[in-house]
Amino acid sequence: QFPFGRRLPCDIYWHGVSFHDNDIFSGQVNKFPGMTEMVRKITLSRAVRTMQDLFPLEYNFYPRSWILPEEFPLFVAEVRMMKDSDPSWKPTFIVKPDGGCQGDGIYLIKDPSDIRLTGSFQSRPAVVQEYICKPLLVDKLKFDIRLYVLLKSLEPLEIYVAKDGLSRFCTEPYQEPTLKNLHQVFMHLTNYSLNIHSGNFVHSDNVNTGSKRTFSSVLGRLSSRGADVKKLWSDIISLVIKTIIALTPELKVYYQSDIPAGKPGPTCFQILGFDILLMKNLKPMLLEVNANPSMRIEHEQELSPGVFENVPSPVDEEVKVAVIRDTLRLVDPQKKKRKDV
Ligand code: ADP
């Protein structure tokens, strides 16, 4: 750890937040320049939209989204048009502030005219997105998947998907959105940081139960229900690859500007956190990409009112230690040398 700057060159640099050190001339850095900007909600939506316009069927894994405030008139017009052509369509929309995380500032609305929307978006850019009303449920609960993806190289594109991830569960049984339950975050939002505050959150030592489980344990459950888990994995992998392809052109621009070809500089790799929601029919939908996914393997426990202690979280440990270990193995410079020989 070098809190006050570094002196000697290293083989691998592990930056905490983003690519920021322009004094690195060799080795490998664990962040790509521009990645944080590229995966913000608005930029990601824009990049995926470009691909949706070109390849609508290939990119149907991302909910229809509009960027606020600039696309508000388009949002109103398109929703009106869709409602006119299909009066039985009763959509719900989710509004997510740009740059927000951990469910911060997110809310659901039934109609573009909702006062919460018209009142707030002027001050804070956001993405408004079609809400997926029929998610796959396990134990009557909505859950999402956090998958860890290693972007090992941009050119050539090299992507590794960790075989296990986390499933984060809501803490109230799911009901399809109605005006009455729209505000119930423990029913609709799967964020750990929100659900931890629900009295129903279950920390578990056993990876198969509780409010945070391994994705492999959920796959086991689905497989025993007869789900085609192989197809699901292949759909997830194709979602990951297509999403990275959508980000690649601009990432290359950032890369060339920070690390120009021909000048000494490091190469980059990065662990990304993909948040994915499964629909009832098992189709995976991309919710968002995290450039700096949490690698914490502990959680806080309240020993007595107001007194907290960090305790190990076996589920996080099982998944995240493997992700870091395998990443280091994949970028190990000694291994590359051996391979070249
Ligand atoms: P944040 O960065 O604040 O976590 P997300 O985009 O991940 O924002 O959304 C937070 C949560 O809201 C997700 O984990 C998921 O449970 C729910 N969610 C987000 N988008 C949708 C959607 N289009 N349909 C259904 N649920 C969604």
Side-chain angles (χ1 to χ4, degrees), residues 41 96 101 103 129-132 142 144 189-191 288:
K41 292 183 169 63
K96 315 186 199 181
C101 61
Q129 192 168 75
E130 212 177 319
Y131 186 72
I132 297 157
K142 175 174 171 176
D144 77 351
L189 306 186
T190 49
N191 299 79
E288 76 159 350

Side-chain angles (χ1 to χ4, degrees), residues 41 63 94 96-97 100-106 108 129-133 135 142-144 168 170 174 188-191 194 275 277 286-288 290:
K41 292 183 169 63
I94 182 164
K96 315 186 199 181
C101 61
Q102 305 192 324
D104 169 40
I106 291 184
L108 306 187
Q129 192 168 75
E130 212 177 319
Y131 186 72
I132 297 157
C133 292
K142 175 174 171 176
F143 67 97
D144 77 351
R168 298 162 305 183
C170 277
Y174 183 77
H188 289 293
L189 306 186
T190 49
N191 299 79
L194 296 174
D275 291 349
L277 188 70
L286 175 68
L287 296 180
E288 76 159 350
N290 250 280

